[in-house]
Each structure stands twice: as C-alpha cells, then as structure tokens.
Amino acid sequence: MPADLVIVANRLPVDRVTQPDGTQGWRPSPGGLVTAIEPVMRANDGTWIGWPGGPSEDADAGDLDPFEADGLQLVPIGLTAEEIELFYEGFSNATIWPIYHDLVAKPEFHREWWDSYVKVNEKYAAKAASVAAEGATVWVHDYQLQLVPQMLRELRPDLRIGFYLHIPFPPAELFQQLPWRRQLLEGLLGADLVGFQLPGGAANFVRLVRQRVGHKTHRDLVYLPDGRTVRAAAFPISIDAAGFEALASDEAVVTRAAEIREALGSPRRIFLGIDRLDYTKGIYARLRAYAELIETGELDVEDAVFVQVAVPSREQVEQYRILRDEIDRLVGRINGDLGRIGRPAISYLHSSYPREEMAALYTAADVMVVTPYRDGMNLVAKEYVACRTGDDGALVLSEFAGAADELRQAWLVNPYDINGMKAALLEAYRADGKELTRRMKAMRRTIKKHDVAAWADAFMTELADVEHSTHAKSVRAVGRS
Ligand code: F6P
C-alpha cells in the first residue's frame, strides 16, 4: 500500500540474523538513529526503507520482499558484498565519516567508492519513489544518503522531502577537500528542509552552498534557480526520556544495577563509558586519563573502577580494526600494571547490550564519561541523565559533543587535554551530593522538555510548513565546483 510517510535510512530498525537452526530472524539494529526514529514511525503509521544488514547475493538485490516486524512496515534494500565494501565501508565510513568528524582519522578518496555511493543512493531513491503515496512526506536520514533528496525529487516532484543529518556538518575548510563536494551539496538541496544537529552545521551548509554552488542565500534559506526555496536549520536530536526513566525505575533494572555494583566489588565510585568502538569517541584518551589518576595515587582501584563498554562497529574498516587493537593493548597494559587480584582498574566489555542492561549500567554508574573528539549529538549522555531518577550521578562530557550545547551543567572537558580531563574526573568523583543534585536536576529538566518526540515534531511541523509556492528572487547560476 502506498505510504503517506516514508522514512529512508541506511539501515532498517532491525538486522537480519540467521538463527542456529538456519531460519531467518530479526534483532534491533545498532545506533542512535533507530532509537530516535522508531517512535515517529509508529505514531505516523509510516513505512521504513533501509538495509537489513549483511550481503544479499543477487546483484539486483534491491528487490527483497517488504515485511512487518513488531508492527512496523519495513521495505528492505539489499546490498551486495561489493556495495557494502565500496558504498558503506568505503565512501560512507572511510571518506565522509572522517571528513565530517574533524579529520580525526585520515579520509580516503577513491573514485570507485564514489561511483558505488551514487549507484546505491539511486537504489534508495527509486524504492522511495515506488512506495510513497501521491503528495507523501519522505524523510531521508544521514550521511550515507545525501544524494537521495535530489534523485527523489527528479523522480517524484509531488513529494515533500526532508533530510536530517545525524552527524556534524563540517566547516568549509574540511568539506571542500571532497572531490564530489558540489554533487553532495546539490543532492541535499533536493530536500525542502535540511536539518542539522546544531546551528553551526546549518550555517556551514548555507555558506558552502553560496560559495560552491553559487545560489543566493539569506540567513537559513537557499533560493534555487528553479524557484524552490530550501531551508537549513538545527533540530538537536534527543531520546525517549520518559521511556528511559521508566526503565530505570523498573524493579528488575534496579536489582540488576545492584548486582553490577556488587560484581564490581562494591567500589566507592563506578566510572562508566559506553560507546560504539569508534575513533571519534575518545575512548583511548579517557582511559589514559583515568589510568594516570590511579598511577599517581589520586584514585585507588579499591575505591574506583572504570567500566568501558565498547560496542563492536564497522569491523571491516581498517581504522576501526586498528582502534580495536589499540584499545585492547591499552586496557591490557593498564590492568597489568595497575590492577590487583579481583580488582582490575578497567572492566572492559566488547559487546552490545539490550536497553534494560544499559539502563542498569547507567543506574549503577556514579560518573558517566563521554569524551568524543567530535560527535553530532551523543545520545548516551542524554540516556544517562534520563536514568538518574534520584537526581544524582555526574556527567563528564566533551565540549565537542553536540549534547554539550544543552547539558551545560555537565563537567565539560576538552578531550585533547588529558590534564584537564583528569581534573574533571577527579572533581566529579569528589563532588558532594548537593553539587551533584544541583547539576543533575537542571540537566534532567532539559532532557524531559526536549525529548525525541519534541524533536520529531519540530522537524515534521517545519517540513509541513515549507512553502511550495515558488520564490520570485532572481538568482545567480554560477558554474563553480
Ligand atoms: O549516527 C551515525 C550512525 O552512522 C547512524 O546512521 C547509525 O545508526 C549508527 O551511527 C551506527 O552505525 P552503522 O550503521 O554504521 O553501524
């Protein structure tokens, strides 16, 4: 049945898995995007187009059968092994990802990766064009699909198209390294509304469009030669705050949190990091800062333990493999040098966990440590705050996470400054109850007000309000690239 709301994202909200008995099953797919969009989908009876994970054998694997999972209408797009390598691991995660994250790692530029990116974007656009009802709203997500808005507009000019970027949008100085910068900007301009995490990202985009494509702009508006107006604005994403709060109050979760504390030897304070194992997350630097505090005796392993959960991610991409080895070595060295029998300095878990276990970890942790070098938002920081129903617990947060714009009462740190991080970790460790409550109360107010429902609502309302009548500006058509 044609859909009035279509979500287009790289991944479906579920991953296909082969069960031990050989039958096909599904499990929730990783990442914050899924958690953020699912409630919007449910509320609007939408259809979700995306990749079910893993390779599809057929070269024309675009045509897997639609299905329903957990009440959601899902339309799978199959990717071949080659597309996974060139489009997903290559252009999306080894070209765009590092460029959009401040060049924390060196990006690679390969023309065959770009060709595959174009081809796969075409596949998503064609599928969206085929399932959207007349005049439907299509909401395209994230950096893997930046060409889809324009491709879709060409196929279906009747649609209202929104695009949301979940990761940072870089300043012109970095973006213009991309050999395909103009095509990417034009791809995004196919949307009526382009959403970013922060106002800085929206401003970077509008400036680049003016400089590189030559369109006329005014504040957050871009005037296209065909008479369309595109708006670029910030919509900071959030979480299901009430859902996390309820989970944290659940008896089973509270019991599990107590078990975790006991299993860790009932230390005075538990520090916690939970991240996808990604080089942008600053895991190495934070563990070093913590280890130095133990080394100098400012912290003692009898009193403090660091639990680091590293969720496996993009394991075929070289930079991610290198990072995994580095963290493995660092944790081994720290525990070898500084741990005692039954008291490792760091409890390291290379695994992903269901929401209940995450809530139990957040509940057990006294100091949450979130120190990315660059992060679009970081939902883990917000989830921690939502779970602190007793208005206690400390958040140590990188200034370079989008969440730092809202969570001003966290201990804000520069992850490149190890001494600064050590000082913040110690302060958070030593803070008294009154101080913790003051900070946490304020952050909880923010999170409750700006939850994921408010985020989706703001974006959808704005998209619905976009003027479809043409503007009467005379516009330059400059042939820059
Ligand atoms: O927010 C960035 C993002 O790439 C999302 O699109 C995705 O949900 C998450 O990180 C996990 O990444 P991947 O889909 O590459 O496993």
Side-chain angles (χ1 to χ4, degrees), residues 11 30-33 88 93 97 142-144 166-167 276 314:
R11 278 185 194 274
L33 189 146
Y88 170 71
N93 288 313
W97 183 266
D142 231 355
Y143 62 101
Q144 303 94 343
H166 291 253
I167 67 174
R276 269 189 316 101
R314 306 174 190 164

Side-chain angles (χ1 to χ4, degrees), residues 49-65:
I49 297 175
W51 171 47
S56 298
E57 278 162 28
D58 199 318
D60 271 317
D63 286 325
L64 300 173
D65 286 335

Side-chain angles (χ1 to χ4, degrees), residues 86-87 91 109-117 180:
L86 307 182
F87 154 77
F91 197 78
F109 303 102
H110 299 292
R111 284 165 288 181
E112 62 278 22
W113 289 5
W114 166 254
D115 293 342
S116 180
Y117 186 80
W180 309 277

Side-chain angles (χ1 to χ4, degrees), residues 73-93:
Q73 297 303 321
L74 305 178
V75 178
I77 297 257
L79 296 182
T80 62
E82 189 185 54
E83 286 169 340
I84 293 172
E85 191 189 329
L86 307 182
F87 154 77
Y88 170 71
E89 291 156 6
F91 197 78
S92 298
N93 288 313

